[in-house]
Amino acid sequence: MATVFMKWLESRPLDYDRGIRLLTLGRLELLQAQIVDRLIRDGMRVLEIGCGTGRLAIAMAEKGAQVTAIDISPTMLTEAERRVNQFELEERINLKLMDASLIGDRFEAGYFDLVVSSLVFSEMTPQMRILVLQECLRLLVPDGKLAIIDETLPDNHATRLIFGAIRLPLRLLTWLLTRTTTHHLRDFASMLSNAGFSEEIVISRLGGSLQLVIASPADGAGIYILPATVLGRLRHRTTLRTLLLDLWATFLRILPPYPKVTPGLYVVGQPDMDSPVLVTGNFELTVRRLVREIDNRIDAWVLVVDSAGINVWCAAGGGFFTAEKVIGALRVSGLEGIVRHRALILPQLCANGVDGWRIQQEIDWDVHWGPVRAEDIPEYVVSGRVKTDAMRWAKFPLKDRLEMVTVTLGFYGLLILLPVAVFWRNMLWPVLVSLVGLSYFYAVVLPWLPGRDGLAKSFSLTLISLAGLLVYIVIWDSLPGQYIFNWVLGLTALSVFTAAELQGMSPLMRGEQANWGWEAVIGAVLGLIYWLIPYTLGWR
């Protein structure tokens, strides 16, 4: 949580060390002392990224190191220069005003024995971290070391909750003071490995939320180094987080906030210059299902486009996944310099909103519409992008129908049941059973109901539900006339609503918005009947 106050403290360099000491409970100084004791030897050349007020640089120089210390803050460097002069270490410490992204341009390859950094990487974007790590690898001698102290996400779930509870108000306060924030490092070990480093020592403090990682260049044989613009490697993994997200997506997927993946370029496996480029939206469930089907089957570049956290079909239809967004994501990714082909594979189900011709005309990349289902992508890629008829057809099998009914019931159930619970509490259970029963029955029999959209199918669904009511009345319970009247109207309304609204779950029909006008008319007619008939028959 220390880095949350970095931006604020940087504007007050005289208070910087005191503030960081307080926020880390003195643990940062202990970890920096570990760097000096374990790694510094006389005459070695050290690069410190983000030197701050120069405290660590001075300690390393006093032990005999030749230190090049960089920082992006002029005020911090001014204070560091004052301290360096105070300790008379001008010959051993070279201070430079520099952004970390420039180290590859400003320093000679293989020059430094050690690169160190304290509370800096957590302030960088993911792309920046990868770039700087790769430049550090290039700047180090073959047996050099990399030492990074930074804020991390604890592995223990209980500690992680405590860490989050403490960090949240600190992040809020920092945002109010500076309009900036920072982020802890997630899966930093994988990022180090991808950059070509081998982790040697990890020392943790503050429940694992502050770590010193000491790494060295890995054996070059077999090392796969990712391009600087790649955000990370995607793997199919089942964790507690993914299980909870799947649980949310099963019942309340339609409700925001939608779980998202950071837009950008990722890899699956170890793609090369000839590997396929797959494009998808940033709805997390979509990305994970794509990765599940291709991981360990093909090597691919995966370009995740900002679709507002919505699946590609709905996002494209709603204007959230467009040719412009694909073009922008492609430009930022730097794929032009990574692959030697110019072929993008987009989901077929986003063709309703993504103009493939525009992409080809503006940036000269060919657009290929991939299979409808992710499970067919490996075969499609291996066959040289040959798509069979089976890959083209959108299907809606029973498993998918049951899943989508469950998803939509999470929202529509609340929409209907909350007013019933407030105004007609005695009807809550009958309405709940009717809504759930009609919805899942509709999912099962949908292919066989006549009509090409949900509104047309609602007529036969209404007749079936009323036939069920008749059987109930004849066999189990003969209801009074007013009750029968209410049930007829209620089941009619539920049947029309269920079929007309749930058509939006199917890739074979238009969106449910196409029926809203007729639904309003039918609802008004049913409401009028509900009020007029009882007066006519003397029930009120």
Side-chain angles (χ1 to χ4, degrees), residues 24 27-28 30-31 34 152 203-212:
T24 63
R27 300 306 191 271
L28 177 65
L30 295 178
L31 292 178
Q34 290 282 336
T152 58
I203 303 174
S204 298
R205 295 292 184 268
L206 298 179
S209 65
L210 190 68
Q211 288 188 346
L212 163 61

Side-chain angles (χ1 to χ4, degrees), residues 215-233:
S216 59
D219 183 359
I223 294 300
Y224 180 79
I225 300 178
L226 295 174
T229 54
V230 174
L231 296 188
R233 189 183 304 278

